[in-house]
Amino acid sequence: MSTPEELLQKTEFDYVVVGGGSAGAAVAARLSEDPDVEVALVEAGPDDRGQDVILRLDRWMELLESGYDWDYPIEPQENGNSFMRHARAKVMGGCSSHNSCIAFWAPREDIDEWEQRFGATGWNAETAYALYRRLEQNEDAGPDAPHHGDSGPVHLMNIPPEDPSGQALLDACEQAGIPRTRFNTGETVINGAGLFQINRQADGTRASSSVSYIHPILDRPNFTLLTDFRARELRIDADDVCTGVDVVDSVVGRTHALTARHEVIVSTGAIDTPKLLMLSGIGPAAHLEEHGVRVRVDSPGVGQNLQDHPEGVIQWEANKPLPQTSTQWWEIGIFTTTEDGLDRPDLMFHYGTVPFDMHTLRQGYPTTENGFCLTPNVTHARSRGTVRLRSRDFRDKPMVDPRYFTDPHDMRVMIAGIRKAREIVAQPAMAEWAGRELYPGAEVQTDEQLRDYITKTHNTVYHPAGSVRMGPADDPMSPLDPDLRVKGVRNLRVADASVMPELTTVNPNITTMMIGERCADLVKQARVSAGSAGASATA
């Protein structure tokens, strides 16, 4: 592999995409389809090629708190687990190179809500679903599914029904009133359970955004991949035009100036994107001044509106040996509701055949090497957190405060989730599999006991979003307009999960890739419009 210094053969491009993650890889690949534009993709982490621990999906849990993880601690939580950490990928492909590759189209209601409730004009299910189809090649989404893309870069497949404990769990769900279902059929699953679809290739390689979008285009003469370069600050001139970005190489720590003739697209994720904007003078004025950062745009919504899927866990010993191989160890999803009248589920479970004890062991709960768990998570948590600068030094980790369970709705749903998990596993279909409940334990029954257990041991599904949300031009709390342009600065856009006004009901990784696809379309449209305007002016 080349060193960062060897990669940096030129510094001026038409478009510079900062962040080679789920959305950024899609933006760069699509923009570089035009041979007349030069595109650079800048990634702070290393290349993923040749890295088996990255590319083999069944090894994904080895990546947590590894050298491929930014591993952000969270601020002390008044109602949550202060030991929790946010895994954010430090490698090409971003979190699509770091996660379990659970692949979901968001419910239509989620995307329509972005437009109808939050004023993100143009972001609706019709547009999003066309982009989902464009980005994927879907092995099988069921006989009733609408036509799925058959030539997109991202390969989706059904998890095969090979795990007998998982099949027993699906039987138990049916006995508990939650029917079997297929996912990604175009219909919203309000109450149903099934095997996930995952973005994985047939040989077990994860179909990350890097594998899917970037590996096939590395020989394009107009595309430059710069790995191991970390963004330090956006370059913004006196006329509030973003002209590029200062990046620091990982070998000698030297700063280099990259120039963008047309636009910079920031795709560094829901934690690092607000950090980079604030370091560049775009954010809440008082906060920037506190850290000695020159204020270019007073944008109070930068770093606000942080959302996540908080996750609990309930674990059982298994009475029989569990499978020793898996696609990625979390193969089944369950959706249901905790109240009547909802158009989307407010509760989701992942089913894992692993000891999920990363927060229970320190609290003294027993563990096992042969156990299974259900992890209830709140699909639309109402608690909102913040991302803030720790200092003006780009090397310092930001202050991430999710403010878990500060809205009582979220704890109510989570407690209901623990009770629903017990109801499912108590069904006859699981009788031969379910042994002792290890945590929280059968003696933990009251709301107060469950609340205490959840507060001490909950985790996250690692889905931070919403911290640089898009919205109407006149909304001061939306730093972006619906075309993903940063308000107050020209030639600067954002494309990653931070732009979501509301986090999706489901695992958001495929939706984040979709955001990258749409961003590329918007940039291309702007280029065409600018060309047409120039031609008219000279006619």
Side-chain angles (χ1 to χ4, degrees), residues 105 108 129-130 132-134 136-138 141-152 184-186:
W105 295 12
R108 293 178 183 275
Y129 272 46
Y132 286 139
R133 294 186 183 97
R134 186 173 80 184
E136 70 169 28
Q137 45 180 307
N138 200 312
D144 300 322
H147 173 70
H148 282 220
D150 56 10
S151 60
N184 295 338
T185 66

Side-chain angles (χ1 to χ4, degrees), residues 258-288:
L258 301 182
T259 298
R261 302 182 192 102
H262 296 301
E263 293 195 39
V264 173
I265 298 95
V266 176
S267 300
T268 54
I271 292 176
D272 281 297
T273 286
K275 175 188 171 186
L276 180 58
L277 292 178
M278 288 187 284
L279 287 173
S280 306
I282 305 166
H287 177 65
L288 302 186

